[in-house]
């Protein structure tokens, strides 16, 4: 049996090996970094996106929460939204009419995330109770007017930060957690199908904040973490991440797949958004704000969403800004935070409707707002 | 009914991730060595996978080709193209010349095949090589190879001599005076800011961290040494005031009387006495709830509808099945399938895309012709 001294020697050698390999990887990637999306697009003569001040407007304000809004999700088909708030409720909205169709009082009020099932009949939520609760919207309420929980998914050892149903599968859900793992659940049985990450460092080494499932290939999803990395997972292979993406300098708060299914965007506490290539691991573009003239700390990115064509990247920030980035030219084309009827507080969540015609933002000012295009669209 | 003492709910404290078993000496080292060797294998695999991987420009090309293949309802209108510019455009494209005065007078959008830095608003500086120190038409600061006076993230490299110390991107791990989130790593010394304060924060802890602030030290698993993440007592507030938030119990909320009868969360707008919001702000009162006025003008939302099996036959009072109900289905079905059994009006070109700007629009659909979002209720904008 090896002595402790021998093991220490091997430990030091292995550590040096890891550091050396990481440096080689970094150098190899730098050699392949011959351009970025913005430089390439400009060289191709891409015309910039130009918004008039009244092109994108706030056309609905959804009021009803009495606490900060933390999360929202659209239905895949109808224009319904579910939102989760610090007031301990989920509200389901008809976004077109601004009507509230359901108001669900939660057993644990510290909710952090919510999601709509693909058929629009169920919603899921999770938070500090370390569990994910499922509600069937067709359920009868009890005598107190409360909707019963259909299923509680327990097993995480930390808070549930994000959840998303697998597209077109009402029975499969993926959650991310403060216990550094992601889990794939069978909603009908309440069982964990797979755990991604965990005890061995093939997974994240800090709290996982966000997940995004690839709608073009639903076997793949990405997760963003406080360890400043994003990891790509294949739900059929839980033992290790397919790839790890480095670049951010602080917590990754939000990840979202690009509409083509081969790239994904990220938003981080370092104040930047980034675009990565899923297959090669390359960082394609950094979307970073100009530093504040007063040298204040950079606002952090809390949430992101892509428009349906991929040309626009919406990013919500901790200071209430909501930048609309031209994805190709890496320029800010609009700040929804400066428009009329904008939010009064931090943008905590964003979501694009399934048909790409509207963006919903949720804020710590307790409101949700719907933004849509109101300019003239005909081509002469 | 007298005022009740507020019940301060303790937030759930999720357990920390499981620690490795605290085996002494040899076994712990063996476990760590196993983990490191596994990491070495992963890194070697990743290095191997980079062989033959195309450079970033290939991915950039794919992104450019993809964007524009789908119509985007949020993108502004295409610029008008004057017919008189058509011939000029063709000539220009053949000559590959960017001549500013011709470019600007026709209001064309020239696509210069070569970088063009004339003082013409039509042309843009397509790449960094265009941005010379005297270039006036570039909208962005010019960062040439030898000019780092305009300090931005892409410009300032670690050995950039002219970047001022305050330039955040100049400050790499061994920074001293430039203290910002990108500078301060886990073993930070004097740069004490938010990014220093990770779960194992030592001396870089803010004294009054606050509770449940995701960006601060207390990331829901704050350690007792670091900051105080307990809810201050909301002794002045009663359940009517809904003191669930972190330290935020609006003072006027504490005047709410339990007998208010308001829907609990909305009681927090109480002034001198408990004035409940009018029924119009009760939850939707749409499908399952109806406002009923109680004494003193307070309202509560009670469930009044109960879906009958006849709902699937189009009875308008049903709270579940509306126009999306599938005709012909048995009344006991739950109508869960979204189905557009109501004939959709045709979508003239001008009503496509106006779903959100039209207040009369209550249901969206997809126009079969233009594939744009449309109003199913035939709203014309």
């Amino acid at each position: 049996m090896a002595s402790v001294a021998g093991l220490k020697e091997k430990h030091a050698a292995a550590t040096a090996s890891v550091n050396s390999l990481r440096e080689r990887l970094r150098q190899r990637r730098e050699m392949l970094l011959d351009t970025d999306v913005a430089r390439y697009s400009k060289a191709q003569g891409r015309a910039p996106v130009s918004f008039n001040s009244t092109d994108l407007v706030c056309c609905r304000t959804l009021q009803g929460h009495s606490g900060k809004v933390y999360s929202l999700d659209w239905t895949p088909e109808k224009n319904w939204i579910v939102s989760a708030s610090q007031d301990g409720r989920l509200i389901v909205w008809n976004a077109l009419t601004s009507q509230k169709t359901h108001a669900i009082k939660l057993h644990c009020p510290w909710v952090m995330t919510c999601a709509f099932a693909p058929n629009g009949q169920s919603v899921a939520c999770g938070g500090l109770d370390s569990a994910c609760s499922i509600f069937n919207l067709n359920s009868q309420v009890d005598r107190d007017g409360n909707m019963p929980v259909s299923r509680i998914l327990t097993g995480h050892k930390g808070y549930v930060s994000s959840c998303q149903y697998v597209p077109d599968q009402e029975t499969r859900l993926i959650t991310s957690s403060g216990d550094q793992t992601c889990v794939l659940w069978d909603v009908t049985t309440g069982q964990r199908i797979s755990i991604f990450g965990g005890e061995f460092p093939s997974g994240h080494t800090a709290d996982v904040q966000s997940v995004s499932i690839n709608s073009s290939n639903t076997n793949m999803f990405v997760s963003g973490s406080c360890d400043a990395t994003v990891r790509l997972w294949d739900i059929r292979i839980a033992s290790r991440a397919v790839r790890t993406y480095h670049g951010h300098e602080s917590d990754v708060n939000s990840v979202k797949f690009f509409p083509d299914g081969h790239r994904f965007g990220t938003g981080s506490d370092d104040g930047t958004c980034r675009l990565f290539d899923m297959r090669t691991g390359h960082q394609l573009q950094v979307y970073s704000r100009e530093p504040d003239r007063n040298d204040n700390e950079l606002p952090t990115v809390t949430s992101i969403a892509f428009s349906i064509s991929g040309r626009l990247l919406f990013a919500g920030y901790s200071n209430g800004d909501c930048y609309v980035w031209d994805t190709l030219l890496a320029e800010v084309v609009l700040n929804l935070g400066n428009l009329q009827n904008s939010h009064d507080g931090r943008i905590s969540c964003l979501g694009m409707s399934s048909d790409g015609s509207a963006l919903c933002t949720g804020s710590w000012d307790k409101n949700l707002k719907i933004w849509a295009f109101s300019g003239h669209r005909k081509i002469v | 009914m007298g005022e009740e003492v507020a019940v301060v709910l303790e937030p759930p404290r999720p357990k920390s991730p499981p620690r490795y078993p605290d085996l002494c000496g040899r076994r712990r080292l063996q476990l760590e060595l196993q983990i490191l060797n596994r990491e070495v294998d992963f890194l070697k695999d990743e290095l191997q996978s980079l062989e033959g991987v195309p450079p970033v420009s290939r991915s950039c090309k794919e992104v450019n080709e993809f964007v524009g293949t789908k119509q985007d309802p949020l993108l502004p209108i295409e610029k008008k193209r004057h017919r008189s510019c058509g011939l000029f455009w063709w000539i220009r494209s053949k000559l590959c010349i960017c001549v500013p005065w011709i470019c600007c007078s026709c209001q064309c959008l020239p696509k210069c095949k070569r970088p063009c830095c004339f003082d013409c608003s039509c042309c843009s500086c397509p790449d960094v090589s265009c941005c010379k120190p005297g270039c006036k038409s570039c909208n962005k600061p010019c960062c040439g190879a030898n000019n780092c006076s305009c300090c931005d993230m892409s410009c300032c490299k670690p050995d950039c001599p002219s970047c001022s110390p305050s330039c955040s991107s100049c400050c790499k791990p061994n920074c001293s005076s430039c203290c910002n989130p990108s500078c301060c790593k886990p073993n930070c010394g004097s740069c004490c800011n938010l990014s220093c304060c990770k779960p194992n924060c030592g001396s870089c802890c803010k004294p009054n961290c606050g509770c449940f602030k995701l960006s601060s030290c207390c990331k829901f698993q704050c350690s007792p040494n670091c900051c105080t993440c307990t809810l201050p007592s909301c002794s002045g507030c009663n359940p009517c005031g809904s003191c669930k938030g972190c330290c935020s119990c609006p003072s006027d909320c504490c005047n709410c009387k339990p007998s208010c009868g308001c829907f609990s969360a909305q009681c927090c707008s109480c002034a001198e006495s408990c004035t409940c919001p009018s029924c119009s702000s009760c939850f939707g009162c749409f499908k399952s709830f109806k406002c009923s006025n109680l004494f003193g003008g307070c309202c509560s939302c009670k469930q009044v509808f109960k879906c009958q099996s006849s709902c699937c036959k189009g009875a308008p009072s049903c709270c579940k099945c509306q126009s999306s109900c599938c005709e012909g289905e048995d009344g006991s079905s739950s109508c869960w399938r979204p189905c557009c059994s109501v004939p959709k009006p045709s979508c003239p070109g001008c009503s496509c895309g106006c779903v959100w700007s039209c207040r009369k629009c209550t249901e969206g659909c997809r126009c079969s012709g233009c594939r744009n979002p449309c109003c199913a209720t035939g709203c014309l904008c």
Side-chain angles (χ1 to χ4, degrees), chain B residues 328-345:
Chain B
E329 281 198 356
D330 180 61
S332 61
S333 73
S334 59
C335 290
W336 60 269
R337 289 189 292 115
C339 55
C340 296
S341 59
V342 174
K344 297 263 183 302

Side-chain angles (χ1 to χ4, degrees), chain A residues 198-201, chain B residues 18-23 28 31-32 35:
Chain A
E199 291 170 357
F200 293 98
Chain B
R19 296 181 180 278
Y20 298 121
D22 190 18
L23 308 168
R28 185 173 62 237
L31 192 64
E32 287 178 3
I35 293 167

Side-chain angles (χ1 to χ4, degrees), chain B residues 3-20:
Chain B
E3 281 189 25
E4 298 174 0
V5 174
V7 175
V8 176
L9 296 173
E10 276 290 320
R13 294 197 177 269
K15 294 179 199 172
S16 299
R19 296 181 180 278
Y20 298 121

Side-chain angles (χ1 to χ4, degrees), chain B residues 177-253:
Chain B
S177 63
C178 34
C179 196
N180 63 48
S182 68
C183 187
C184 293
K185 302 303 179 189
N187 297 322
C188 63
S190 63
C191 337
C192 197
N193 59 41
L194 286 177
S195 68
C196 271
C197 297
K198 296 303 180 190
N200 297 323
C201 55
S203 62
C204 300
C205 282
K206 295 187 176 178
N208 296 314
C209 200
C211 299
F212 306 119
K213 287 181 183 177
L214 283 174
S215 61
S216 72
C217 186
C218 298
K219 285 193 182 280
F220 296 96
Q221 292 185 5
C222 55
S223 65
N225 298 334
C226 189
C227 52
T228 307
C229 285
T230 53
L231 292 171
S233 65
C234 293
S235 56
C237 298
N238 58 45
C240 184
S242 177
C243 296
K244 289 176 183 167
C246 180
C247 319
S248 59
C249 181
S251 57
D252 51 350
C253 179

Side-chain angles (χ1 to χ4, degrees), chain A residues 271-273 286-290 298 317 323 325 330 332, chain B residues 153-154:
Chain A
T272 68
C273 300
V286 180
Y287 304 92
S288 57
R289 297 170 64 121
E290 294 291 330
L298 266 180
Y317 293 82
Y323 278 11
W325 290 91
V332 178
Chain B
M153 294 297 288
S154 64

